[in-house]
């Protein structure tokens, strides 16, 4: 009889222990889910009135080139969108940018990398734009022959690798990896090469109708080891627009090799306009 009672007690003990263990596992699972949800929420460390950023890529990249900067801006609680330029004309790219600006419909910092600087110089006149950030970027004046201006500065090595076929141009793999993406991890550089944009043969001959940097506060990130745009030209452009300027020991793709510094510059622009 005692043996049966002992057996029954052992069974009850095992059931109680099992229920307790199951309950603990459920609590732990719930805690893990809460922790995961918390980790996905943006850390609102940025204190500023301007909380919208639109990013414009250059001629040989696409919106994914901003991914490292996007992650950091989102972590700061900023609403950020990357434009996908058709690269057919400055007018088309400016229109694509204005479409994104209209969706934000709030004060916005407009950021351009490389050729994207031409686009933000044109589209930046939009009333939603309160500040411009140039990252190793072109910054033509209204109606200016930018190609003629660039020829007065040292010729960057990447120029020799721009090849046109059937009305569209792109960089050779050699030029892309060693000149455009110098300083970028090789596996990342090859992924960028796979999504390289193909520009219309007339794109770089297009002229802007306005220079938004003449009426909007501007910031500029110079790349000291740039092999796509001459650093001397970048310094000239930054000085001409009276931009708040930083210099990075970087190649042309500082948005990838130095995303923290580029993010900080963008947030600095947002704070200034807050």
């Amino acid at each position: 009889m005692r043996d049966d009672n002992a057996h029954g007690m052992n069974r009850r003990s095992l059931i109680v222990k099992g229920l307790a263990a199951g309950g603990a596992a459920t609590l732990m699972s719930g805690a893990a889910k809460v922790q995961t949800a918390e980790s996905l929420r943006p850390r609102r460390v940025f204190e500023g009135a301007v909380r919208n950023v639109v990013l414009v890529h250059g001629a040989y990249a696409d919106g994914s080139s901003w991914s490292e900067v996007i992650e950091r801006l989102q972590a700061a609680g900023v609403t950020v969108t990357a434009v996908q330029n058709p690269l057919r004309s400055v007018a088309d790219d400016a229109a694509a940018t204005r479409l994104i600006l209209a969706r934000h419909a709030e004060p916005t910092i407009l950021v351009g990398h490389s050729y994207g600087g031409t686009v933000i110089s044109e589209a930046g006149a939009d009333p939603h734009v309160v500040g411009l950030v140039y990252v190793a970027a072109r910054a033509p004046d209204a109606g200016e022959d930018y190609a003629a201006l660039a020829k007065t500065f040292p010729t960057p090595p990447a120029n020799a690798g721009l090849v046109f076929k059937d009305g569209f141009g792109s960089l050779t793999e050699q030029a892309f990896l060693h000149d455009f993406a110098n300083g970028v991890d090789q596996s990342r550089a090859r992924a960028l090469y796979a999504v390289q944009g193909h520009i219309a043969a007339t794109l770089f001959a297009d002229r802007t109708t306005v220079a938004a940097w003449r009426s909007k506060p501007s910031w500029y990130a110079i790349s000291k080891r740039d092999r796509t745009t001459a650093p001397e030209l970048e310094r000239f452009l930054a000085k001409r627009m009276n931009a708040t300027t930083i210099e990075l020991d970087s190649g042309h793709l500082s948005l990838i090799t130095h995303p923290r510094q580029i993010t900080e510059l963008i947030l600095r622009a947002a704070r200034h306009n807050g």
Side-chain angles (χ1 to χ4, degrees):
M1 185 71 174
R2 285 194 301 270
D3 290 342
D4 290 342
N5 287 339
H7 180 67
M9 291 177 66
N10 287 338
R11 284 189 64 193
R12 285 193 294 274
S13 177
L14 287 171
I15 291 171
V16 170
K17 288 180 180 179
L19 289 173
T26 300
L27 288 172
M28 290 176 66
S29 176
K33 289 178 181 178
V34 171
Q35 187 176 11
T36 301
E38 288 293 334
S39 66
L40 290 173
R41 291 174 184 166
R43 300 190 303 276
R44 294 195 173 274
V45 298
F46 172 65
E47 300 296 337
V50 181
R51 309 190 70 88
N52 294 280
V53 172
V54 171
L55 307 169
V56 183
H57 66 79
Y60 310 126
D62 72 352
S64 68
S65 61
W66 288 107
S67 58
E68 286 82 357
V69 172
I70 290 171
E71 290 172 1
R72 286 163 174 80
L73 288 172
Q74 289 177 334
V78 173
T79 299
V80 55
T81 307
V83 177
Q84 295 288 5
N85 290 322
L87 301 175
R88 297 299 177 259
S89 70
V90 170
D92 286 344
D93 295 335
T97 301
R98 292 191 192 98
L99 177 64
I100 299 300
L101 290 170
R103 290 178 178 176
H104 280 262
E106 293 178 356
T108 300
I109 298 299
L110 186 57
V111 187
H113 171 246
S114 194
Y115 158 76
T118 298
V119 180
I120 70 171
S121 295
E122 179 76 17
D126 186 286
H128 295 127
V129 177
V130 296
L132 303 163
V133 179
Y134 293 79
V135 180
R138 299 177 174 219
D141 206 345
E144 183 174 51
D145 185 342
Y146 183 84
L149 172 66
K151 287 179 180 178
T152 65
F153 293 87
T155 302
N159 281 21
L162 178 56
V163 177
F164 289 92
K165 182 179 180 181
D166 299 327
F168 294 93
S170 60
L171 292 176
T172 63
E173 184 174 5
Q174 173 74 12
F176 191 100
L177 298 178
H178 296 282
D179 298 323
F180 180 71
N182 61 309
V184 178
D185 175 81
Q186 281 294 293
S187 60
R188 177 78 165 108
R190 290 186 181 280
L192 290 166
Y193 176 71
V195 297
Q196 177 184 187
H198 296 271
I199 67 171
T202 57
L203 184 67
F204 290 162
D206 282 355
R207 301 190 185 191
T208 57
T209 63
V210 64
W213 49 265
R214 287 201 172 275
S215 60
K216 306 284 177 81
S218 302
W219 287 256
Y220 201 110
I222 294 167
S223 292
K224 294 193 289 185
R225 295 192 295 114
D226 204 316
R227 295 174 60 83
T228 300
T229 299
E232 296 88 346
L233 174 55
E234 294 176 18
R235 292 187 183 101
F236 167 82
L237 297 172
K239 183 177 180 180
R240 181 170 71 169
M241 68 173 69
N242 195 30
T244 299
T245 305
I246 63 172
E247 292 207 10
L248 300 173
D249 188 25
S250 167
H252 195 57
L253 292 174
S254 58
L255 65 170
I256 294 173
T257 60
H258 293 70
R260 178 181 61 81
Q261 292 91 330
I262 297 302
T263 301
E264 288 173 353
L265 186 64
I266 295 169
L267 293 178
R268 184 177 176 182
R271 290 190 188 96
H272 172 85
N273 288 278

